[in-house]
Amino acid sequence: MKIKFVSGLEHQQDAVEAIVDIFKGQEVCTSNFTVFSPEYINKQYRTAENNLGFANKLQINEAQIIDNAQKIQLRNGLRPSLSNEIDINNLDFSIEMETGTGKTYVYLKTIMEMQRQYGFKKFIIVVPSIPIKEGVFKSLQMTVDHFNEHYPEAVYNEKSFFVYDSSDLSSVRDFAINDSLQIMVINIQAFAKDIDETAAKTNRILLDYNDKLGYKPISLLQNTRPFVIVDEPQSTMSSPLQKKSIKNLNPLAIFRYSATHTEKINLMYKLDAVDAYNKQLVKQIEVASVMVDGAASSGAYIKLVSLQNRNGISAKVEIDVKGRDGKAKREIKEIKQNTDLLQITKLPQYADYFLKDIYIDQEYIEFTNGTEISLGHSIGAVDDLMIKRFQIRKTIEEHLDKEVRLNPKGIKVLSLFFIDSVKHYRVYDEEGNQQNGDYATIFEEEYKKLIKSRKYQSIFNEIKDLDSEVSQIHNGYFSIDKQSKASNKKEKFEYFKDTSGSVKADEDTYNLIMKDKEKLLSFDSKLRFIFSHSALKEGWDNPNVFQICTLKEAGQSDNKRRQEIGRGLRLAVNQDGERVYGFEVNTLTVMASVSYEQFVEELQKNIEDETGIKFGILQTHSFSNVVISMNGNEPEYLGHHKSEEVFNHLLLKGYINTKGKIQDLLKEDIKQGAVDLGQDFEKHVEEQIIKEITRTAGRLDVKNNATKEIVKVNKQVFLSEEFKNLWDKIKFKTTYSVDFKSETLIKECIKNISNRLVVNGGKLSYNKTKLDITEGGVTFNDPKTNYDVVKQEVAALPDIIGYLQNETRLTRKSIVEILRGCDNLNFFKINPQKYIEGCIDIINEQMRLHIVDGIVYKKIGDNEFYNQELFENEELTGYLKSNMIESSKSPFEFTIYDSNIEKELSKEFEKNNNVKVYAKLPDWFKIETPLGNYNPDWAVLFEVDGKEQLYFVVESKGTLGYDFLRPAEQGKIDCGKKHFEELSKATKSNIKLELVSNGEDFVDLALSKL
């Protein structure tokens, strides 16, 4: 099977023309030079061998190149280069193309067009690493037939290109003397070494005179005036020596190609991550994360997060800490030598953990009980291998789901597992006999289970020998070494080994990966699941990778999300070698080792850091390529000057800040269709500008600060006699006393714990969400979630009786009686902490409810009350369009509401003439209850016929009413009623607390009191 290339893709053709058109006006020509030095000719005493070399020659002048370049940049919506930024003696241009959109094909096709249109024939491609070198060479081999079809006039074959090798300098001479198209591929690391003037003589291979060539090799290359194509310049030209090495080639021009330029010199074309994603030129990204929640800790949980030695040696650890509610919450705490974790956590399982020492260099901490924890590792946590099993299972499941859909379309699905250590995939005994590592074993076990599912029968009915089949569908791509057998030292066996990705052994692995690239795409190969070393990531770019699962060692972290997804972004190909387009086929599922929210946050940061994209940012040239008219077939553009005028107006209006960041005011006007551009444009021009602004703005969901209001006191109501009368009825404070029977409490605790408390070992949640990448940023859709249960033995059980006694203040005897009566005590062994916390909640709840039944409130006295003047000290703010309503009857000019029910009630109070004054009770108005402080919603004065006045404190709840409230809420309301009953007696008024669900409900209730 061979991948087929399409010649006319618009985005690739635009990128090709962005370089080729720089030289418009250039005629086809070449120049010649002698390939033997005068010294060599004199030494040989004959000139017959004085072969000619062929070089590129530039005829057009600098002014023409500048004019051509500026027109191209304007066409592509980029800032035009200044005339002093383009130097004919140092021509340097950049192309930005997102990973997976055909960057290599584009610069190879650019070479072919430069040869066809202008006769340029000498090109050098400089790459930063071995895997990219192998990838480029593979692309050259794969495109020979394709380019011969489209460029029949070119003499182009397997001899037209080669990889630079210092041991074969004859190829350098051939490059110089050949009058047909010549392409040399250079790995900058090897090349820079051979051209280093400071190196030993044996390493100055290109700089020194060579008898066989009759010339200095570097001079042969310089005389050809090559066009130098720099692949990934941020890596290829990252050191002064590398930059000097490229300049030493005497290039006619340098063309830089990358998705992540750190230096954009004369940018001619841009297809960034946002453009590629929106045009569906790469796969859609789907992030899946496996998270653990509420899992049982086996004894004390401690994870070493970081170590530092800035202001004294200290460590940060993640531990369980008991909160005020008695529940353990996972927090990060800084600790130093001699720290007692029991004092920090207040949890008994940490009684034995006293920090003995912190070892900065060796990166671990030690406790007095002998426990040692390395950086990134933990004790008492969920078994890491169990999480890895779940990740592997879900990756297989995602793979099989796609096979059901895509196999009938002739598309083979591949999955990549990246691991940090070979031992997890393959292990060897002393004789070289190989066995599966733990990840490979887990893979085979989970695969065998999943393929028995009915939904996969369409692809697995024909399997007869399952064990044989499963061994053929996965394999490892790792670097190989040899080792002597224990029984016979002379006999050696090959084994997979861990490498860095840049050693000599890795070159063979990259070769194999590239060699098998097309083979893996065919259904003829049974291999579908690939395990490879994470250090070899850069070598993988197979288009049919649909799942990537990175199985990190415990304690390892990696936030290079763009690198993680980059291995699977290319569009898939079918069995005919043809690209298949559309997100409905092309979706890459990334199995993340962090939450999907963190993954998205890190991906956006990676994109901003690596590509220079600033999400939500407009630039002075953002509107340059807006088409204002057509001159024949040539479009006329708005241009940089006018674009800058629009930008400056947006800045003046406060639509953007000085950095171009879009502000909420502009988002609000986009929603309202009221954007002010500062000048009149024709409708089609205005629409293009607004479209660009809208794309860059991203999501328009904002709480607009422009409508934010400070709410002032309404003096007319605040100082009125009616409000004073209302406040005098409700302002007094009370105290309470209680009485209850312990026998009844114990029975209720037993009943509720047995009936209500259900505990599991924790849950594994599998969240999957699709990403959107726009100019406004990286966002995600609502995730879909699946759950599984954590199944793990708990080795150490805490002292449940002592724990409950401390948190509930019940006697030890009562606690024992409650636990003995419970019929679900087995849950304590499954998840001790969750069972204890559940018991605390229920026991405390029952205590409070029993207290409420016997509670008695008493007014403290005439001097203990909430002062009316406190209203004047409170500053309220709200949003006119979302949570406040104008008021003429309350002590504030606006009433701020928290729900639709409160909004409707405030409207009813405003329009109802029987309501004389009302107040949304502030947060500081609290009634003490055994269940916690209670803050009722409203105080209302209701008057009938100007005579009878009724005083209400109103609680507004949902439409379901009192019976559907939580017991604690019911209890608070019941306490509130008893508080106001006491005030009613003490003030000789009819003040009463009532529960209502809408305005009509309140009116009916008030009238019923008459």
Side-chain angles (χ1 to χ4, degrees):
M1 180 204 159
K2 286 189 175 182
I3 294 176
K4 292 179 182 175
F5 295 90
V6 179
S7 183
L9 295 178
E10 183 181 2
H11 72 282
Q12 293 179 348
Q13 190 59 34
D14 289 344
V16 171
E17 290 172 0
I19 292 297
V20 174
D21 288 355
I22 293 171
F23 304 97
K24 260 189 177 178
Q26 166 80 18
E27 294 179 358
V28 175
C29 68
T30 58
S31 67
N32 299 115
F33 62 94
T34 176
V35 294
F36 289 125
S37 67
E39 296 88 347
Y40 181 84
I41 295 170
N42 291 334
K43 186 177 178 182
Q44 298 296 321
Y45 300 107
R46 59 175 183 256
T47 59
E49 296 179 11
N50 190 15
N51 295 354
L52 289 177
F54 293 86
N56 297 321
K57 184 179 180 181
L58 190 63
Q59 284 187 318
I60 58 172
N61 60 33
E62 184 175 87
Q64 184 63 57
I65 288 174
I66 292 170
D67 185 57
N68 287 342
Q70 290 175 338
K71 285 179 180 176
I72 296 163
Q73 289 166 325
L74 198 60
R75 179 174 82 205
N76 291 327
L78 302 170
R79 180 187 71 81
S81 296
L82 303 176
S83 57
N84 62 1
E85 291 175 326
I86 297 176
D87 178 3
I88 197 166
N89 296 314
N90 292 286
L91 293 176
D92 203 337
F93 302 96
S94 301
I95 295 286
E96 181 179 336
M97 290 188 73
E98 172 62 346
T99 302
T101 58
K103 174 192 66 180
T104 306
Y105 175 84
V106 162
Y107 65 63
L108 295 182
K109 185 176 180 183
T110 300
I111 290 172
M112 302 306 295
E113 283 291 334
M114 296 276 277
Q115 184 268 339
R116 168 187 275 177
Q117 294 190 34
Y118 311 124
F120 297 135
K121 295 178 180 177
K122 302 301 169 74
F123 297 86
I124 297 176
I125 302 171
V126 189
V127 300
S129 63
I130 295 169
I132 294 180
K133 178 192 75 176
E134 297 299 332
V136 171
F137 193 66
K138 178 70 174 178
S139 295
L140 283 162
Q141 292 172 321
M142 291 167 61
T143 53
V144 168
D145 292 342
H146 169 76
F147 285 140
N148 274 321
E149 178 186 346
H150 292 277
Y151 300 91
E153 75 286 350
V155 179
Y156 185 65
N157 52 46
E158 295 277 352
K159 293 181 179 179
S160 300
F161 49 84
F162 65 98
V163 174
Y164 166 77
D165 184 349
S166 59
S167 65
D168 180 20
L169 292 179
S170 62
S171 58
V172 173
R173 187 173 185 278
D174 291 341
F175 178 83
I177 66 172
N178 201 315
D179 68 345
S180 61
L181 181 62
Q182 288 291 290
I183 302 169
M184 178 192 293
V185 182
I186 294 175
N187 176 11
I188 191 64
Q189 294 168 340
F191 182 70
K193 176 172 63 70
D194 293 347
I195 207 169
D196 185 0
E197 294 171 343
T198 64
K201 188 171 179 64
T202 52
N203 288 334
R204 294 161 45 91
I205 295 169
L206 287 169
L207 293 178
D208 294 334
Y209 180 84
N210 186 287
D211 281 336
K212 291 182 180 178
L213 297 185
Y215 229 125
K216 291 179 182 179
I218 189 63
S219 296
L220 288 175
L221 295 177
Q222 290 170 342
N223 287 338
T224 66
R225 297 304 314 276
F227 285 99
V228 175
I229 292 168
V230 183
D231 198 327
E232 306 296 344
Q234 72 280 2
S235 301
T236 311
M237 301 176 72
S238 60
S239 73
L241 177 60
Q242 291 173 342
K243 290 179 181 178
K244 184 179 178 182
S245 301
I246 289 173
K247 288 289 184 184
N248 219 351
L249 290 168
N250 191 28
L252 198 59
I254 295 173
F255 305 138
R256 304 164 182 244
Y257 288 81
S258 179
T260 55
H261 288 282
T262 53
E263 196 178 12
K264 297 179 183 178
I265 297 176
N266 297 317
L267 185 63
M268 304 304 298
Y269 177 79
K270 180 172 74 75
L271 179 72
D272 61 25
V274 175
D275 299 325
Y277 204 76
N278 290 333
K279 293 177 180 178
Q280 299 193 18
L281 300 174
V282 292
K283 287 194 184 87
Q284 183 178 38
I285 304 166
E286 184 177 67
V287 181
S289 62
V290 176
M291 306 304 292
V292 180
D293 182 44
S297 295
S298 189
Y301 167 77
I302 308 170
K303 179 178 180 179
L304 180 56
V305 176
S306 65
L307 300 163
Q308 68 91 18
N309 188 15
R310 285 189 294 272
N311 299 313
I313 295 175
S314 67
K316 284 188 177 180
V317 292
E318 187 178 56
I319 50 180
D320 292 327
V321 178
K322 186 168 77 174
R324 291 182 179 179
D325 57 359
K327 293 182 179 180
K329 292 180 182 176
R330 209 146 272 186
E331 297 179 11
I332 293 177
K333 298 286 186 181
E334 187 171 5
I335 59 174
K336 297 185 177 182
Q337 191 177 24
N338 298 325
T339 298
D340 183 358
L341 291 192
L342 178 62
Q343 296 302 314
I344 296 176
T345 64
K346 310 299 183 192
L347 293 170
Q349 56 263 43
Y350 291 90
D352 218 10
Y353 287 90
F354 198 83
L355 187 61
K356 181 180 178 183
D357 215 337
I358 300 171
Y359 299 90
I360 294 287
D361 293 337
Q362 293 90 347
E363 297 187 332
Y364 75 97
I365 58 175
E366 181 184 9
F367 293 92
T368 53
N369 63 5
T371 302
E372 296 178 353
I373 305 174
S374 297
L375 183 63
H377 289 250
S378 61
I379 61 168
V382 173
D383 180 21
D384 186 59
L385 205 57
M386 181 188 67
I387 297 173
K388 296 290 190 293
R389 178 179 288 275
F390 198 69
Q391 287 179 299
I392 291 169
R393 181 198 315 160
K394 295 311 273 186
T395 303
I396 298 170
E397 196 172 332
E398 294 288 347
H399 178 111
L400 297 178
D401 286 344
K402 287 198 178 86
E403 282 195 341
V404 171
R405 289 192 299 107
L406 300 183
N407 280 11
K409 298 178 187 288
I411 299 170
K412 184 179 176 184
V413 178
L414 299 175
S415 290
L416 259 177
F417 292 93
F418 286 118
I419 64 178
D420 290 333
S421 180
V422 170
K423 67 183 181 184
H424 292 301
Y425 184 72
R426 185 72 45 82
V427 291
Y428 304 84
D429 64 17
E430 293 179 334
E431 295 300 309
N433 299 310
Q434 62 184 42
Q435 289 184 321
N436 282 339
D438 47 9
Y439 293 170
T441 300
I442 289 171
F443 173 85
E444 292 191 356
E445 290 171 354
E446 295 299 327
Y447 181 83
K448 288 177 185 176
K449 290 178 193 172
L450 281 166
I451 64 171
K452 293 175 183 175
S453 171
R454 184 181 297 179
K455 66 177 177 176
Y456 303 132
Q457 291 311 297
S458 63
I459 48 178
F460 294 117
N461 273 337
E462 69 280 2
I463 294 178
K464 294 187 172 83
D465 183 355
L466 189 55
D467 288 331
S468 173
E469 167 72 14
V470 76
S471 66
Q472 294 176 34
I473 56 118
H474 71 97
N475 200 1
Y477 281 77
F478 302 94
S479 294
I480 293 172
D481 206 346
K482 291 184 178 182
Q483 181 177 320
S484 297
K485 291 184 177 181
S487 59
N488 183 357
K489 297 297 183 184
K490 293 182 179 180
E491 194 176 346
K492 294 188 174 183
F493 64 89
E494 290 186 341
Y495 69 97
F496 288 156
K497 70 172 183 176
D498 293 320
T499 54
S500 65
S502 57
V503 298
K504 181 64 178 172
D506 295 323
E507 193 160 355
D508 294 332
T509 313
Y510 292 131
N511 271 323
L512 181 63
I513 291 170
M514 293 303 164
K515 178 184 173 186
D516 289 355
K517 182 174 181 176
E518 290 169 306
K519 174 184 169 186
L520 288 172
L521 296 172
S522 170
F523 285 135
D524 293 338
S525 167
K526 291 189 175 182
L527 182 58
R528 290 140 58 217
F529 297 89
I530 299 155
F531 288 79
S532 191
H533 203 288
S534 55
L536 304 176
K537 272 183 184 176
E538 201 175 12
W540 284 100
D541 66 348
N542 196 296
N544 283 25
V545 169
F546 284 89
Q547 286 73 230
I548 295 176
C549 178
T550 303
L551 299 167
K552 287 281 169 199
E553 296 270 14
Q556 307 245 341
S557 64
D558 180 5
N559 62 359
K560 295 179 180 177
R561 304 301 169 203
R562 262 177 68 79
Q563 189 186 76
E564 195 168 338
I565 64 175
R567 302 308 97 204
L569 281 180
R570 299 178 193 281
L571 298 180
V573 299
N574 59 24
Q575 294 304 289
D576 296 323
E578 299 165 339
R579 297 276 175 193
V580 183
Y581 294 89
F583 279 170
E584 65 277 4
V585 167
N586 291 286
T587 298
L588 171 68
T589 304
V590 181
M591 195 66 58
S593 53
V594 295
S595 69
Y596 61 87
E597 296 99 333
Q598 185 180 338
F599 184 96
V600 169
E601 183 182 331
E602 290 173 353
L603 176 60
Q604 175 161 320
K605 188 174 186 307
N606 284 171
I607 292 173
E608 289 183 330
D609 291 346
E610 293 179 12
T611 68
I613 293 174
K614 297 299 179 187
F615 292 107
I617 299 280
L618 288 170
Q619 297 174 291
T620 55
H621 61 271
S622 289
F623 316 109
S624 296
N625 67 334
V626 166
V627 177
I628 58 175
S629 63
M630 294 297 293
N631 183 8
N633 292 325
E634 289 292 319
E636 294 285 335
Y637 299 105
L638 188 65
H640 184 69
H641 178 69
K642 277 288 186 184
S643 175
E644 195 170 11
E645 283 183 6
V646 175
F647 179 90
N648 289 335
H649 178 74
L650 299 179
L651 181 61
L652 191 66
K653 280 282 293 181
Y655 279 161
I656 57 176
N657 66 15
T658 53
K659 293 181 178 179
K661 181 75 174 176
I662 289 177
Q663 304 297 294
D664 285 348
L665 177 61
L666 179 52
K667 290 185 178 182
E668 188 66 34
D669 279 4
I670 292 172
K671 287 169 69 177
Q672 302 298 327
V675 176
D676 177 6
L677 298 178
Q679 54 188 293
D680 292 330
F681 291 103
E682 291 185 43
K683 188 169 179 59
H684 74 278
V685 175
E686 181 180 316
E687 286 174 351
Q688 290 177 75
I689 296 172
I690 298 295
K691 183 180 179 182
E692 178 60 28
I693 293 172
T694 304
R695 285 197 325 146
T696 307
R699 293 194 173 185
L700 302 177
D701 302 331
V702 294
K703 265 190 175 178
N704 193 340
N705 278 325
T707 63
K708 191 174 183 179
E709 295 282 341
I710 295 175
V711 181
K712 298 176 182 177
V713 171
N714 184 341
K715 293 281 188 180
Q716 188 174 350
V717 174
F718 178 70
L719 298 175
S720 68
E721 193 65 27
E722 288 94 341
F723 185 74
K724 184 179 183 302
N725 288 340
L726 173 62
W727 193 251
D728 286 344
K729 302 295 185 294
I730 67 171
K731 69 182 181 181
F732 293 103
K733 297 180 180 179
T734 59
T735 186
Y736 64 83
S737 58
V738 296
D739 183 30
F740 67 91
K741 293 180 180 179
S742 60
E743 298 85 1
T744 311
L745 173 64
I746 289 171
K747 286 181 181 177
E748 287 300 312
C749 286
I750 292 171
K751 184 178 81 174
N752 279 276
I753 290 173
S754 297
N755 293 342
R756 290 166 49 195
L757 184 55
V758 177
V759 171
N760 58 43
K763 62 177 180 282
L764 285 164
S765 60
Y766 178 69
N767 302 293
K768 191 170 70 169
T769 179
K770 286 184 169 63
L771 304 191
D772 288 323
I773 302 177
T774 66
E775 284 83 350
V778 183
T779 57
F780 53 84
N781 301 315
D782 291 335
K784 294 180 179 178
T785 305
N786 294 90
Y787 293 103
D788 204 345
V789 177
V790 174
K791 296 169 184 174
Q792 180 172 275
E793 292 289 327
V794 176
L797 295 174
D799 175 15
I800 186 173
I801 298 170
Y803 201 130
L804 293 178
Q805 192 177 3
N806 288 336
E807 295 304 317
T808 64
R809 299 288 187 267
L810 289 180
T811 64
R812 191 173 183 87
K813 179 184 175 184
S814 296
I815 296 292
V816 171
E817 194 173 340
I818 290 171
L819 292 175
R820 280 180 173 168
C822 294
D823 58 15
N824 60 355
L825 198 57
N826 61 303
F827 286 144
F828 176 55
K829 295 179 182 178
I830 295 172
N831 197 329
Q833 191 63 38
K834 288 296 179 187
Y835 188 80
I836 289 172
E837 291 174 0
C839 287
I840 291 170
D841 284 346
I842 290 173
I843 292 171
N844 284 335
E845 172 198 272
Q846 292 303 313
M847 286 174 65
R848 289 166 182 158
L849 293 175
H850 277 71
I851 286 169
V852 169
D853 288 341
I855 198 165
V856 176
Y857 277 89
K858 289 299 271 184
K859 178 169 167 282
I860 298 174
D862 292 337
N863 296 321
E864 290 292 325
F865 58 84
Y866 289 108
N867 199 314
Q868 184 174 328
E869 280 66 38
L870 288 171
F871 278 94
E872 293 183 291
N873 299 332
E874 184 172 26
E875 184 177 287
L876 297 179
T877 58
Y879 295 88
L880 280 172
K881 297 180 181 178
S882 58
N883 74 338
M884 57 194 286
I885 186 170
E886 195 169 355
S887 172
S888 61
K889 297 182 181 180
S890 84
F892 290 103
E893 293 177 350
F894 290 89
T895 298
I896 295 175
Y897 53 84
D898 299 319
S899 65
N900 283 330
I901 295 170
E902 289 189 359
K903 179 182 179 181
E904 294 309 312
L905 272 173
S906 59
K907 284 183 177 179
E908 176 63 37
F909 296 154
E910 287 294 328
K911 74 178 184 180
N912 193 320
N913 289 330
N914 295 101
V915 174
K916 296 305 173 184
V917 290
Y918 72 95
K920 178 79 163 57
L921 292 172
D923 291 341
W924 45 259
F925 187 90
K926 295 172 182 174
I927 300 165
E928 291 187 0
T929 84
L931 304 167
N933 289 332
Y934 169 52
N935 174 223
D937 292 330
W938 308 92
V940 186
L941 169 56
F942 190 90
E943 186 177 275
V944 180
D945 293 335
K947 299 176 183 177
E948 188 164 2
Q949 293 182 328
L950 301 174
Y951 298 92
F952 293 101
V953 174
V954 177
E955 182 68 32
S956 49
K957 290 297 178 187
T959 55
L960 295 176
Y962 176 85
D963 291 339
F964 290 89
L965 295 175
R966 293 195 302 268
E969 286 189 83
Q970 290 180 348
K972 283 184 180 182
I973 293 171
D974 290 342
C975 288
K977 287 183 176 181
K978 292 186 178 181
H979 163 86
F980 286 111
E981 283 173 11
E982 166 62 13
L983 292 190
S984 179
K985 293 176 191 173
T987 60
K988 295 184 173 56
S989 69
N990 55 19
I991 185 73
K992 197 175 181 74
L993 173 65
E994 298 288 357
L995 183 72
V996 301
S997 56
N998 54 55
E1000 186 179 352
D1001 202 7
F1002 169 73
V1003 173
D1004 290 344
L1005 187 143
L1007 294 175
S1008 71
K1009 304 297 179 183
L1010 297 174

